[in-house]
Protein backbone atom coordinates (compact mmCIF):
# COMPACT_ATOMS: atom_id res chain seq x y z
CA UNK A 1 0.00 0.00 0.00
CA UNK A 2 1.21 3.50 -0.78
CA UNK A 3 0.59 5.66 2.27
CA UNK A 4 0.51 9.39 2.84
CA UNK A 5 3.78 11.21 3.45
CA UNK A 6 4.76 11.43 7.13
CA UNK A 7 3.40 14.57 8.79
CA UNK A 8 0.64 15.12 6.22
CA UNK A 9 -3.02 14.26 6.70
CA UNK A 10 -6.11 13.76 4.57
CA UNK A 11 -9.14 15.89 5.34
CA UNK A 12 -12.05 13.63 4.49
CA UNK A 13 -14.80 16.14 5.25
CA UNK A 14 -14.20 19.77 4.39
CA UNK A 15 -17.48 21.07 5.87
CA UNK A 16 -16.02 22.49 9.08
CA UNK A 17 -12.83 23.63 7.31
CA UNK A 18 -14.87 25.61 4.78
CA UNK A 19 -17.23 26.96 7.43
CA UNK A 20 -14.25 28.25 9.47
CA UNK A 21 -12.66 29.77 6.40
CA UNK A 22 -15.96 31.43 5.38
CA UNK A 23 -16.37 32.88 8.90
CA UNK A 24 -12.80 34.22 8.85
CA UNK A 25 -13.26 35.78 5.41
CA UNK A 26 -16.49 37.43 6.50
CA UNK A 27 -14.88 38.72 9.70
CA UNK A 28 -11.74 40.21 8.14
CA UNK A 29 -13.86 41.83 5.41
CA UNK A 30 -15.47 43.88 8.21
CA UNK A 31 -12.01 45.36 8.78
CA UNK A 32 -11.50 46.00 5.06
CA UNK A 33 -8.97 43.23 4.33
CA UNK A 34 -8.83 41.80 0.83
CA UNK A 35 -7.70 38.35 -0.27
CA UNK A 36 -4.52 37.66 -2.22
CA UNK A 37 -2.64 34.50 -3.21
CA UNK A 38 1.11 33.99 -3.52
CA UNK A 39 2.93 30.91 -4.87
CA UNK A 40 3.63 27.84 -2.74
CA UNK A 41 7.18 27.82 -4.12
CA UNK A 42 9.61 30.61 -3.33
CA UNK A 43 13.37 31.16 -3.39
CA UNK A 44 14.89 29.61 -0.24
CA UNK A 45 16.95 32.77 0.06
CA UNK A 46 13.78 34.81 0.84
CA UNK A 47 13.18 32.91 4.07
CA UNK A 48 16.86 32.67 4.95
CA UNK A 49 17.08 36.42 4.74
CA UNK A 50 13.96 37.38 6.70
CA UNK A 51 13.16 34.58 9.16
CA UNK A 52 16.67 34.54 10.63
CA UNK A 53 19.63 32.30 9.79
CA UNK A 54 19.55 30.63 13.23
CA UNK A 55 15.80 30.01 13.52
CA UNK A 56 14.55 26.41 13.63
CA UNK A 57 12.44 27.01 10.52
CA UNK A 58 15.46 27.96 8.43
CA UNK A 59 18.06 25.61 9.92
CA UNK A 60 15.96 22.44 10.23
CA UNK A 61 12.53 22.72 8.70
CA UNK A 62 12.84 23.80 5.08
CA UNK A 63 11.53 21.58 2.29
CA UNK A 64 13.95 22.49 -0.46
CA UNK A 65 13.28 21.57 -4.06
CA UNK A 66 15.24 20.65 -7.08
CA UNK A 67 15.74 23.51 -9.52
CA UNK A 68 16.96 23.49 -13.12
CA UNK A 69 19.47 26.23 -12.29
CA UNK A 70 22.48 25.05 -10.35
CA UNK A 71 22.84 28.18 -8.25
CA UNK A 72 19.14 28.44 -7.45
CA UNK A 73 17.52 26.90 -4.38
CA UNK A 74 13.74 26.76 -4.22
CA UNK A 75 11.55 25.67 -1.33
CA UNK A 76 7.97 25.05 -0.29
CA UNK A 77 6.97 28.08 1.76
CA UNK A 78 7.17 27.51 5.53
CA UNK A 79 5.01 30.60 6.22
CA UNK A 80 3.39 33.39 4.23
CA UNK A 81 4.55 36.69 5.74
CA UNK A 82 7.83 36.73 3.81
CA UNK A 83 5.91 35.90 0.61
CA UNK A 84 3.35 38.67 1.18
CA UNK A 85 6.17 41.12 1.90
CA UNK A 86 7.98 40.00 -1.27
CA UNK A 87 4.77 40.46 -3.27
CA UNK A 88 4.33 43.94 -1.75
CA UNK A 89 7.82 45.00 -2.82
CA UNK A 90 7.86 43.23 -6.17
CA UNK A 91 4.49 44.60 -7.25
CA UNK A 92 5.36 48.12 -6.07
CA UNK A 93 2.21 48.48 -4.00
CA UNK A 94 1.67 52.17 -3.36
CA UNK A 95 -1.64 52.38 -1.58
CA UNK A 96 -1.03 52.12 2.13
CA UNK A 97 -1.93 50.52 4.40
CA UNK A 98 -2.05 47.33 2.36
CA UNK A 99 -4.44 45.12 4.34
CA UNK A 100 -4.44 41.63 2.91
CA UNK A 101 -5.02 38.05 3.91
CA UNK A 102 -4.08 34.81 2.25
CA UNK A 103 -4.60 31.18 3.16
CA UNK A 104 -3.27 27.82 2.10
CA UNK A 105 -0.81 25.06 2.94
CA UNK A 106 2.59 25.74 4.53
CA UNK A 107 5.41 23.22 4.86
CA UNK A 108 7.82 22.66 7.73
CA UNK A 109 9.95 19.60 8.33
CA UNK A 110 8.97 19.21 12.00
CA UNK A 111 8.57 16.16 14.22
CA UNK A 112 4.87 15.34 13.72
CA UNK A 113 2.52 15.14 16.69
CA UNK A 114 -1.03 16.23 17.54
CA UNK A 115 -1.51 19.69 16.01
CA UNK A 116 1.95 19.70 14.43
CA UNK A 117 2.25 18.62 10.82
CA UNK A 118 4.71 18.91 7.96
CA UNK A 119 1.95 20.24 5.71
CA UNK A 120 -0.47 22.46 7.60
CA UNK A 121 -2.85 25.28 6.75
CA UNK A 122 -2.61 28.90 7.79
CA UNK A 123 -4.62 32.03 7.28
CA UNK A 124 -2.14 34.87 7.25
CA UNK A 125 -3.32 38.45 7.78
CA UNK A 126 -0.95 41.34 7.16
CA UNK A 127 -1.14 45.14 7.42
CA UNK A 128 1.76 46.76 5.60
CA UNK A 129 2.18 50.51 6.07
CA UNK A 130 0.84 50.98 9.57
CA UNK A 131 3.00 52.40 12.35
CA UNK A 132 0.58 53.48 15.04
CA UNK A 133 -0.15 51.66 18.28
CA UNK A 134 -3.87 52.04 17.54
CA UNK A 135 -3.26 49.83 14.48
CA UNK A 136 -1.79 47.13 16.76
CA UNK A 137 -4.70 47.48 19.18
CA UNK A 138 -7.28 47.17 16.43
CA UNK A 139 -5.53 44.22 14.81
CA UNK A 140 -5.29 42.26 18.06
CA UNK A 141 -8.91 43.14 18.83
CA UNK A 142 -9.95 41.91 15.38
CA UNK A 143 -8.36 38.53 16.16
CA UNK A 144 -9.84 38.38 19.63
CA UNK A 145 -13.35 39.12 18.28
CA UNK A 146 -12.77 36.52 15.55
CA UNK A 147 -12.06 33.82 18.11
CA UNK A 148 -14.59 34.85 20.76
CA UNK A 149 -17.52 35.99 18.61
CA UNK A 150 -17.26 34.79 15.01
CA UNK A 151 -15.78 31.32 15.68
CA UNK A 152 -16.84 31.10 19.34
CA UNK A 153 -13.73 29.23 20.46
CA UNK A 154 -14.17 28.28 24.12
CA UNK A 155 -11.52 29.01 26.74
CA UNK A 156 -8.45 30.46 25.08
CA UNK A 157 -5.92 32.99 26.31
CA UNK A 158 -4.03 35.81 24.64
CA UNK A 159 -0.38 36.19 25.60
CA UNK A 160 1.28 39.42 24.68
CA UNK A 161 4.78 40.88 24.99
CA UNK A 162 6.77 43.84 23.76
CA UNK A 163 10.14 43.18 22.12
CA UNK A 164 11.12 46.83 21.71
CA UNK A 165 12.92 48.55 18.86
CA UNK A 166 16.17 47.33 17.25
CA UNK A 167 18.31 49.26 19.78
CA UNK A 168 16.35 47.78 22.69
CA UNK A 169 16.84 44.32 21.33
CA UNK A 170 20.56 44.73 20.80
CA UNK A 171 20.99 46.08 24.34
CA UNK A 172 18.76 43.39 25.82
CA UNK A 173 20.48 40.58 23.90
CA UNK A 174 23.83 41.64 25.40
CA UNK A 175 22.28 41.77 28.88
CA UNK A 176 20.76 38.31 28.42
CA UNK A 177 24.02 36.91 27.07
CA UNK A 178 25.84 38.20 30.15
CA UNK A 179 23.22 36.54 32.34
CA UNK A 180 23.47 33.24 30.46
CA UNK A 181 27.26 33.21 30.58
CA UNK A 182 27.75 34.41 34.11
CA UNK A 183 25.44 32.40 36.33
CA UNK A 184 26.78 28.85 36.02
CA UNK A 185 23.42 27.77 34.54
CA UNK A 186 22.65 24.21 33.52
CA UNK A 187 21.02 24.28 30.13
CA UNK A 188 20.31 21.75 27.40
CA UNK A 189 22.72 21.48 24.45
CA UNK A 190 20.32 23.32 22.10
CA UNK A 191 20.06 26.25 24.52
CA UNK A 192 23.84 26.36 25.01
CA UNK A 193 24.14 26.86 21.23
CA UNK A 194 21.25 29.33 21.22
CA UNK A 195 22.89 31.34 24.01
CA UNK A 196 25.72 32.06 21.57
CA UNK A 197 23.89 32.38 18.27
CA UNK A 198 20.40 33.62 19.01
CA UNK A 199 20.00 34.18 22.78
CA UNK A 200 16.31 35.18 22.78
CA UNK A 201 15.41 31.71 21.50
CA UNK A 202 16.34 30.19 24.87
CA UNK A 203 12.91 31.27 26.11
CA UNK A 204 11.28 28.87 23.62
CA UNK A 205 12.80 25.83 25.36
CA UNK A 206 10.32 23.64 27.20
CA UNK A 207 12.96 21.66 29.16
CA UNK A 208 12.55 21.91 32.93
CA UNK A 209 16.27 22.61 33.61
CA UNK A 210 16.27 25.51 31.11
CA UNK A 211 13.00 26.95 32.43
CA UNK A 212 14.43 26.90 35.96
CA UNK A 213 17.70 28.47 34.84
CA UNK A 214 15.80 31.28 33.17
CA UNK A 215 13.58 32.07 36.15
CA UNK A 216 15.86 34.95 37.20
CA UNK A 217 16.71 36.13 33.66
CA UNK A 218 16.32 39.86 32.93
CA UNK A 219 13.07 40.76 31.16
CA UNK A 220 12.70 42.52 27.84
CA UNK A 221 9.92 44.84 28.96
CA UNK A 222 12.19 46.11 31.74
CA UNK A 223 14.82 47.11 29.18
CA UNK A 224 12.70 49.21 26.83
CA UNK A 225 13.66 52.73 25.76
CA UNK A 226 11.26 55.47 26.85
CA UNK A 227 9.47 55.67 23.51
CA UNK A 228 8.90 51.87 23.37
CA UNK A 229 7.90 51.87 27.01
CA UNK A 230 5.24 54.50 26.25
CA UNK A 231 4.00 52.54 23.24
CA UNK A 232 3.72 49.39 25.32
CA UNK A 233 1.69 51.21 28.01
CA UNK A 234 -0.51 52.82 25.38
CA UNK A 235 -1.17 49.48 23.69
CA UNK A 236 -2.28 47.88 26.94
CA UNK A 237 -4.51 50.88 27.71
CA UNK A 238 -6.17 50.61 24.30
CA UNK A 239 -6.71 46.87 24.69
CA UNK A 240 -8.27 47.55 28.10
CA UNK A 241 -10.48 50.18 26.53
CA UNK A 242 -11.71 47.61 24.01
CA UNK A 243 -12.18 44.99 26.76
CA UNK A 244 -9.67 42.56 25.28
CA UNK A 245 -8.47 40.15 27.95
CA UNK A 246 -4.74 39.44 27.76
CA UNK A 247 -1.94 38.19 29.90
CA UNK A 248 1.54 39.72 29.71
CA UNK A 249 4.00 36.92 29.06
CA UNK A 250 7.47 38.50 29.41
CA UNK A 251 9.10 35.35 27.97
CA UNK A 252 7.15 35.33 24.73
CA UNK A 253 9.69 35.93 21.95
CA UNK A 254 8.16 34.00 18.97
CA UNK A 255 10.12 31.57 16.81
CA UNK A 256 10.91 33.88 13.88
CA UNK A 257 13.46 36.68 13.98
CA UNK A 258 11.62 39.41 12.09
CA UNK A 259 9.52 40.66 15.01
CA UNK A 260 9.96 43.90 16.89
CA UNK A 261 7.70 45.74 19.34
CA UNK A 262 4.45 43.84 19.95
CA UNK A 263 4.39 40.02 19.75
CA UNK A 264 1.43 37.87 20.72
CA UNK A 265 -0.02 34.37 20.68
CA UNK A 266 -3.49 32.95 21.20
CA UNK A 267 -3.30 29.65 23.09
CA UNK A 268 -5.60 26.92 24.28
CA UNK A 269 -4.83 24.25 26.90
CA UNK A 270 -7.10 21.88 24.96
CA UNK A 271 -4.41 21.54 22.26
CA UNK A 272 -1.79 19.89 24.47
CA UNK A 273 1.83 20.88 23.94
CA UNK A 274 1.17 22.59 20.57
CA UNK A 275 -1.06 25.11 22.30
CA UNK A 276 -0.68 28.19 20.06
CA UNK A 277 -3.36 28.46 17.40
CA UNK A 278 -2.47 31.96 16.24
CA UNK A 279 0.66 34.07 16.51
CA UNK A 280 1.97 37.32 15.20
CA UNK A 281 3.32 40.74 15.87
CA UNK A 282 4.97 43.77 14.36
CA UNK A 283 7.74 43.40 11.77
CA UNK A 284 8.85 46.94 10.99
CA UNK A 285 12.20 45.97 9.42
CA UNK A 286 11.11 43.11 7.16
CA UNK A 287 10.09 45.12 4.08
CA UNK A 288 13.46 46.90 4.15
CA UNK A 289 15.25 43.52 4.36
CA UNK A 290 13.57 42.48 1.12
CA UNK A 291 13.65 45.74 -0.84
CA UNK A 292 17.09 46.84 0.33
CA UNK A 293 15.55 50.29 0.54
CA UNK A 294 13.72 52.24 3.22
CA UNK A 295 11.49 50.01 5.26
CA UNK A 296 7.71 50.20 5.70
CA UNK A 297 6.28 49.43 9.15
CA UNK A 298 3.97 46.43 9.25
CA UNK A 299 2.22 43.92 11.46
CA UNK A 300 0.39 40.67 11.02
CA UNK A 301 -0.52 37.26 12.34
CA UNK A 302 -1.16 33.74 11.13
CA UNK A 303 -3.80 31.42 12.41
CA UNK A 304 -3.18 27.68 12.28
CA UNK A 305 -6.33 26.30 10.66
CA UNK A 306 -5.57 22.70 11.67
CA UNK A 307 -5.39 23.71 15.33
CA UNK A 308 -8.54 25.85 15.15
CA UNK A 309 -10.32 22.84 13.64
CA UNK A 310 -9.06 20.61 16.47
CA UNK A 311 -10.53 23.10 18.95
CA UNK A 312 -13.89 23.39 17.20
CA UNK A 313 -14.24 19.64 16.58
CA UNK A 314 -14.28 19.31 20.37
CA UNK A 315 -17.14 21.78 20.80
CA UNK A 316 -20.89 21.30 20.48
CA UNK A 317 -23.54 23.51 18.82
CA UNK A 318 -21.23 25.28 16.41
CA UNK A 319 -23.08 28.29 15.05
CA UNK A 320 -20.78 28.57 12.03
CA UNK A 321 -21.87 25.21 10.57
CA UNK A 322 -24.05 25.77 7.50
CA UNK A 323 -27.55 24.27 7.65
CA UNK A 324 -27.75 21.24 5.37
CA UNK A 325 -29.75 21.50 2.16
CA UNK A 326 -32.65 19.00 2.09
CA UNK A 327 -31.74 15.93 0.05
CA UNK A 328 -33.97 14.21 -2.53
CA UNK A 329 -33.19 10.68 -3.60
CA UNK A 330 -34.27 9.28 -6.96
CA UNK A 331 -34.60 5.48 -7.06
CA UNK A 332 -35.46 3.53 -10.22
CA UNK A 333 -36.80 0.12 -9.19
CA UNK A 334 -35.25 -1.66 -12.20
CA UNK A 335 -32.53 -1.05 -14.77
CA UNK A 336 -35.19 -0.35 -17.43
CA UNK A 337 -36.11 2.86 -15.61
CA UNK A 338 -32.58 4.23 -15.28
CA UNK A 339 -33.08 6.62 -18.26
CA UNK A 340 -36.25 8.03 -16.70
CA UNK A 341 -34.44 8.40 -13.34
CA UNK A 342 -31.53 10.17 -15.05
CA UNK A 343 -33.98 12.65 -16.59
CA UNK A 344 -35.80 13.26 -13.31
CA UNK A 345 -32.51 13.83 -11.40
CA UNK A 346 -31.33 16.20 -14.10
CA UNK A 347 -34.56 18.17 -13.91
CA UNK A 348 -34.42 18.43 -10.09
CA UNK A 349 -30.79 19.53 -10.15
CA UNK A 350 -31.56 22.18 -12.78
CA UNK A 351 -34.14 23.54 -10.32
CA UNK A 352 -31.44 23.57 -7.61
CA UNK A 353 -32.74 20.61 -5.55
CA UNK A 354 -29.87 18.61 -4.04
CA UNK A 355 -30.42 15.19 -5.56
CA UNK A 356 -28.81 11.77 -5.20
CA UNK A 357 -29.52 9.13 -7.84
CA UNK A 358 -29.27 5.59 -6.47
CA UNK A 359 -28.92 3.00 -9.21
CA UNK A 360 -26.92 0.30 -7.45
CA UNK A 361 -28.51 -2.52 -5.43
CA UNK A 362 -32.08 -3.55 -4.65
CA UNK A 363 -34.97 -1.20 -3.85
CA UNK A 364 -34.65 -2.19 -0.19
CA UNK A 365 -30.96 -1.36 -0.01
CA UNK A 366 -31.55 1.89 -1.93
CA UNK A 367 -34.13 2.98 0.66
CA UNK A 368 -31.73 2.06 3.45
CA UNK A 369 -29.07 4.22 1.80
CA UNK A 370 -31.57 7.09 1.42
CA UNK A 371 -32.22 6.84 5.15
CA UNK A 372 -28.51 6.92 5.92
CA UNK A 373 -28.06 10.01 3.76
CA UNK A 374 -30.82 11.70 5.79
CA UNK A 375 -32.95 12.23 2.65
CA UNK A 376 -36.19 14.16 2.98
CA UNK A 377 -38.01 12.35 0.15
CA UNK A 378 -37.34 9.28 -1.97
CA UNK A 379 -38.73 9.50 -5.51
CA UNK A 380 -39.50 6.04 -6.83
CA UNK A 381 -39.77 5.20 -10.51
CA UNK A 382 -41.02 1.75 -11.59
CA UNK A 383 -43.24 0.11 -14.17
CA UNK A 384 -46.47 1.78 -13.03
CA UNK A 385 -44.91 5.25 -12.74
CA UNK A 386 -43.39 4.82 -16.19
CA UNK A 387 -46.74 3.84 -17.71
CA UNK A 388 -48.75 6.58 -15.94
CA UNK A 389 -46.19 9.38 -16.11
CA UNK A 390 -46.04 9.67 -12.34
CA UNK A 391 -43.55 9.51 -9.46
CA UNK A 392 -44.12 7.79 -6.13
CA UNK A 393 -42.95 10.25 -3.49
CA UNK A 394 -42.05 8.65 -0.16
CA UNK A 395 -41.69 10.92 2.86
CA UNK A 396 -38.59 9.48 4.55
CA UNK A 397 -39.60 10.77 7.97
CA UNK A 398 -43.25 9.63 8.17
CA UNK A 399 -43.00 6.82 5.61
CA UNK A 400 -46.15 8.15 3.83
CA UNK A 401 -46.35 7.75 0.05
CA UNK A 402 -48.16 9.85 -2.59
CA UNK A 403 -48.40 9.64 -6.34
CA UNK A 404 -47.53 12.86 -8.18
CA UNK A 405 -47.56 13.53 -11.93
CA UNK A 406 -44.04 13.85 -13.28
CA UNK A 407 -44.79 17.26 -14.75
CA UNK A 408 -45.89 18.56 -11.33
CA UNK A 409 -42.96 17.20 -9.32
CA UNK A 410 -40.94 20.43 -9.13
CA UNK A 411 -43.88 22.53 -7.93
CA UNK A 412 -44.86 19.75 -5.49
CA UNK A 413 -41.38 19.65 -3.92
CA UNK A 414 -41.26 23.43 -3.72
P1 LIG B 1 4.00 30.88 13.48
O1 LIG B 1 3.86 31.13 14.93
O2 LIG B 1 5.20 30.15 13.02
O3 LIG B 1 3.92 32.30 12.79
O4 LIG B 1 2.74 30.11 12.95
C1 LIG B 1 1.44 30.61 13.18
C2 LIG B 1 0.51 29.49 13.56
O5 LIG B 1 0.56 28.46 12.56
C3 LIG B 1 0.87 28.79 14.85
O6 LIG B 1 0.35 29.47 15.96
C4 LIG B 1 0.19 27.44 14.65
O7 LIG B 1 -1.16 27.52 14.99
C5 LIG B 1 0.32 27.20 13.17
N1 LIG B 1 1.45 26.28 12.90
C6 LIG B 1 2.75 26.57 12.82
N2 LIG B 1 3.48 25.46 12.56
C7 LIG B 1 2.60 24.45 12.46
C8 LIG B 1 2.72 23.04 12.20
N3 LIG B 1 3.88 22.46 11.95
N4 LIG B 1 1.59 22.30 12.19
C9 LIG B 1 0.37 22.86 12.42
N5 LIG B 1 0.20 24.18 12.65
C10 LIG B 1 1.30 24.97 12.69
C11 LIG B 1 4.02 32.50 11.45
O8 LIG B 1 3.98 31.63 10.63
C12 LIG B 1 4.07 33.96 11.09
N6 LIG B 1 4.16 34.05 9.62
C13 LIG B 1 2.85 34.68 11.62
C14 LIG B 1 2.81 36.13 11.24
C15 LIG B 1 2.09 36.68 10.23
N7 LIG B 1 3.51 37.09 11.80
C16 LIG B 1 3.24 38.22 11.19
N8 LIG B 1 2.39 38.00 10.21
Amino acid sequence: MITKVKGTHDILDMTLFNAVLAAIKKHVALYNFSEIATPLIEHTHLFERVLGAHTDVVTKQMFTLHSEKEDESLCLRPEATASVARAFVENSIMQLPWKVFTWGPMFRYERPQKGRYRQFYQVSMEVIGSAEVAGDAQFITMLDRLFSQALQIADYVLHINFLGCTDDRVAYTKKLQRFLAGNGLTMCTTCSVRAQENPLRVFDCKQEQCQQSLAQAPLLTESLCSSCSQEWDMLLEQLDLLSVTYSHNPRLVRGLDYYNKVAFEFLSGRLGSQSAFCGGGRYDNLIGMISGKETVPALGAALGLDRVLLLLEDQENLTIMPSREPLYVVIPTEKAYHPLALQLSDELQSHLFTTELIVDGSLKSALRKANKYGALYALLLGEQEHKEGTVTVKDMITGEQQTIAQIDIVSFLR
Side-chain angles (χ1 to χ4, degrees):
M1 187 175 66
I2 300 174
T3 59
K4 61 183 177 293
V5 172
K6 187 174 172 187
T8 66
H9 58 288
D10 302 314
I11 308 174
L12 299 178
D13 183 347
M14 288 290 282
T15 315
L16 183 58
F17 187 108
N18 286 332
V20 168
L21 201 53
I24 296 171
K25 288 184 181 186
K26 193 170 156 197
H27 186 76
V28 297
L30 293 175
Y31 294 79
N32 205 21
F33 279 70
S34 50
E35 185 171 0
I36 63 160
T38 60
L40 266 58
I41 311 173
E42 295 275 3
H43 291 284
T44 313
H45 183 52
L46 169 71
F47 301 104
E48 286 169 349
R49 188 184 294 183
V50 303
L51 305 192
H54 300 293
T55 55
D56 285 352
V57 176
V58 166
T59 54
K60 297 188 254 176
Q61 298 171 358
M62 298 293 273
F63 274 96
T64 45
L65 301 169
H66 176 73
S67 162
E68 67 228 339
K69 293 190 199 151
E70 223 174 77
D71 57 348
E72 182 181 63
S73 170
L74 303 178
C75 68
L76 294 175
R77 62 181 183 187
E79 58 106 59
T81 310
S83 304
V84 172
R86 180 210 37 77
F88 172 82
V89 172
E90 196 171 347
N91 294 288
S92 312
I93 306 292
M94 293 295 179
Q95 208 179 338
L96 300 181
W98 198 45
K99 294 169 76 176
V100 294
F101 74 96
T102 188
W103 73 275
M106 309 292 153
F107 305 85
R108 294 184 193 175
Y109 190 81
E110 297 201 69
R111 195 168 45 77
Q113 65 178 99
K114 182 190 167 196
R116 185 163 72 189
Y117 312 106
R118 290 183 176 174
Q119 175 177 330
F120 58 98
Y121 294 83
Q122 277 188 347
V123 180
S124 210
M125 294 148 276
E126 316 292 348
V127 185
I128 299 181
S130 150
E132 289 295 329
V133 170
D136 298 356
Q138 194 191 35
F139 188 80
I140 295 170
T141 307
M142 171 184 85
L143 294 171
D144 187 55
R145 306 284 192 255
L146 170 67
F147 302 134
S148 64
Q149 294 171 8
L151 298 176
Q152 301 190 352
I153 295 178
D155 47 73
Y156 66 85
V157 288
L158 162 61
H159 281 190
I160 180 165
N161 196 17
F162 208 80
L163 309 178
C165 55
T166 312
D167 288 349
D168 290 345
R169 242 174 114 156
V170 171
Y172 175 73
T173 304
K174 281 191 190 141
K175 212 173 184 181
L176 181 64
Q177 253 170 338
R178 275 199 300 275
F179 170 84
L180 296 172
N183 287 282
L185 306 175
T186 42
M187 305 197 86
C188 69
T189 356
T190 316
C191 283
S192 305
V193 177
R194 283 173 173 166
Q196 299 301 320
E197 292 178 344
N198 196 357
L200 262 67
R201 288 271 74 71
V202 295
F203 291 115
D204 279 345
C205 189
K206 297 212 164 71
Q207 303 238 7
E208 188 61 35
Q209 62 186 67
C210 299
Q211 300 255 354
Q212 273 178 14
S213 296
L214 291 170
Q216 302 305 320
L219 299 179
L220 242 166
T221 37
E222 287 166 4
S223 310
L224 299 176
C225 64
S226 67
S227 146
C228 280
S229 194
Q230 267 177 19
E231 283 193 25
W232 172 225
D233 290 344
M234 214 190 300
L235 174 61
L236 298 184
E237 269 169 34
Q238 293 180 0
L239 291 176
D240 289 337
L241 180 76
L242 293 163
S243 308
V244 174
T245 308
Y246 56 80
S247 156
H248 173 210
N249 177 355
R251 296 178 198 287
L252 176 73
V253 289
R254 310 268 304 125
L256 309 164
D257 276 2
Y258 51 61
Y259 294 107
N260 66 316
K261 298 193 176 174
V262 67
F264 54 84
E265 270 176 358
F266 289 84
L267 310 127
S268 167
R270 287 191 284 137
L271 288 168
S273 66
Q274 300 307 308
S275 56
F277 59 89
C278 176
R282 195 159 260 292
Y283 50 91
D284 290 338
N285 302 315
L286 195 154
I287 301 291
M289 283 187 226
I290 293 176
S291 66
K293 295 185 195 146
E294 204 179 314
T295 197
V296 181
L299 81 151
L303 163 171
L305 269 173
D306 312 79
R307 295 189 191 170
V308 167
L309 292 175
L310 283 174
L311 288 173
L312 292 177
E313 273 159 13
D314 251 17
Q315 291 182 208
E316 281 168 15
N317 305 323
L318 294 180
T319 48
I320 55 162
M321 284 302 260
S323 52
R324 264 192 67 196
E325 287 292 316
L327 177 71
Y328 303 89
V329 168
V330 175
I331 306 173
T333 57
E334 282 172 54
K335 215 175 181 124
Y337 310 114
H338 284 190
L340 185 57
L342 279 169
Q343 281 176 305
L344 179 61
S345 301
D346 187 44
E347 162 131 19
L348 293 183
Q349 280 146 347
S350 73
H351 284 90
L352 307 181
F353 291 103
T354 306
T355 310
E356 174 74 44
L357 170 65
I358 305 183
V359 288
D360 294 297
S362 64
L363 174 63
K364 206 168 151 193
S365 81
L367 282 169
R368 221 180 292 131
K369 242 186 221 169
N371 229 339
K372 253 199 190 148
Y373 288 151
L376 192 61
Y377 287 111
L379 311 177
L380 310 176
L381 294 167
E383 190 183 350
Q384 197 178 342
E385 289 83 0
H386 178 59
K387 252 195 243 154
E388 295 172 358
T390 58
V391 185
T392 297
V393 180
K394 182 179 170 82
D395 184 321
M396 293 302 291
I397 297 162
T398 63
E400 274 169 30
Q401 293 196 176
Q402 320 181 39
T403 305
I404 308 290
Q406 281 166 20
I407 50 163
D408 294 334
I409 193 72
V410 167
S411 51
F412 169 79
L413 294 180
R414 275 224 179 95

